[in-house]
Amino acid sequence: EQVDFAQPHGEAAQALVAEILAGFDVDPTWAPVLRTMLVDVLATPLDPRGTLRLCDVPAHARTAELEFLFPVGAGAPKLVSGSAPPRGFLKGYIDLVFTHAGRWYVLDWKSNWLGDAPEDYAAPRLAVTMRESLYDLQYRLYTVALHRHLAARVPGYDYERHFGGVFYLFMRGMHPSRGAATGVFFDRPTRGDVEALSAALSRAGEGA
């Protein structure tokens, strides 16, 4: 949230790492590890073509901790089996929203430890983790929130043209040499799915 994506090697980034370690009372000998991870995450290509890297996304094209709040109708369904249906308002914060090539993206940082080997962060393992941790539900709610936000604020907004997708970055598995093959989960829910979930959350109760 605070580092200059274009200058992860800079003095400001190094000072920030030292400050964070001290703030959490972590041994400062971990500083090189954290600095390396920071550089690797920002330099890793997120798409198969290698054209999208966070270090190339300027500050004006991203917003950290984007807050959302929207009402949930009395007829909204259960979001998780065995849980109560949501009521009142749904509030949350999206780690990062950024634009690239005219499209908006949702991004969530994940520090989960899934193993020591790069293959522990390959697509099959990430897919399992996404389901088991309910991150798949989380990013669909984030997508609904951003979809509503953009529809209200972007003239001529069209989901197919303006929404790029969702990235969940498992930082421990990321490295520029492997690109999107490890540590990078991506999905782009269909417009139909997003609008169906949005409508379900707005559904009025019986007799309303």
Side-chain angles (χ1 to χ4, degrees), residues 9-10 15 20 29 31 42 62 67 70-71 74-76 78 82 86 88 96 106-107 115 131 149 155 164 179 200 208:
H9 292 284
I20 290 173
T29 59
L42 295 175
R62 60 182 191 266
E67 180 180 4
F70 58 81
K78 295 180 179 180
L96 186 71
V106 167
L107 186 151
R131 291 194 303 271
H149 175 83

Side-chain angles (χ1 to χ4, degrees), residues 8 16-17 26 31 39 49 62 67 70 93 130 138 145 153 158 167 171 175 187 194 198:
L16 180 61
V17 167
V26 177
V39 172
R49 294 182 299 172
R62 60 182 191 266
E67 180 180 4
F70 58 81
Y93 297 86
M130 294 293 293
Q138 183 184 49
R153 290 167 174 77
D158 176 72
F167 286 105
M171 297 179 286
H175 193 274
D187 190 24
V194 172
S198 182

Side-chain angles (χ1 to χ4, degrees), residues 28-54:
T29 59
W30 283 101
V33 176
L34 191 55
R35 289 199 297 265
T36 297
M37 178 182 285
L38 179 63
V39 172
D40 287 347
V41 168
L42 295 175
T44 296
L46 303 183
D47 60 327
R49 294 182 299 172
T51 59
L52 172 55
R53 303 183 307 163
L54 291 176

Side-chain angles (χ1 to χ4, degrees), residues 81-189:
S81 178
S83 68
R87 288 291 184 269
F89 288 83
L90 190 62
K91 178 180 179 178
Y93 297 86
I94 303 174
D95 280 358
L96 186 71
V97 171
F98 70 92
T99 59
H100 172 72
R103 288 189 164 194
W104 275 262
Y105 293 84
V106 167
L107 186 151
D108 201 89
W109 310 107
K110 293 300 175 190
S111 60
N112 307 50
W113 182 83
L114 304 180
D116 293 324
E119 55 266 27
D120 294 324
Y121 299 84
R125 182 67 184 278
L126 296 189
V128 172
T129 301
M130 294 293 293
R131 291 194 303 271
E132 291 181 344
S133 301
L134 298 180
Y135 295 153
D136 52 351
L137 171 60
Q138 183 184 49
Y139 76 71
R140 284 176 170 81
L141 293 174
Y142 287 170
T143 301
V144 167
L146 184 59
H147 177 58
R148 292 184 176 196
H149 175 83
L150 296 177
R153 290 167 174 77
V154 176
Y157 168 74
D158 176 72
Y159 181 89
E160 300 296 348
R161 183 157 52 95
H162 291 110
F163 185 72
V166 177
F167 286 105
Y168 268 53
L169 302 186
F170 291 76
M171 297 179 286
R172 296 175 187 267
M174 296 177 68
H175 193 274
S177 66
R178 296 189 296 272
T182 64
V184 179
F185 175 88
F186 176 79
D187 190 24
R188 186 174 182 272

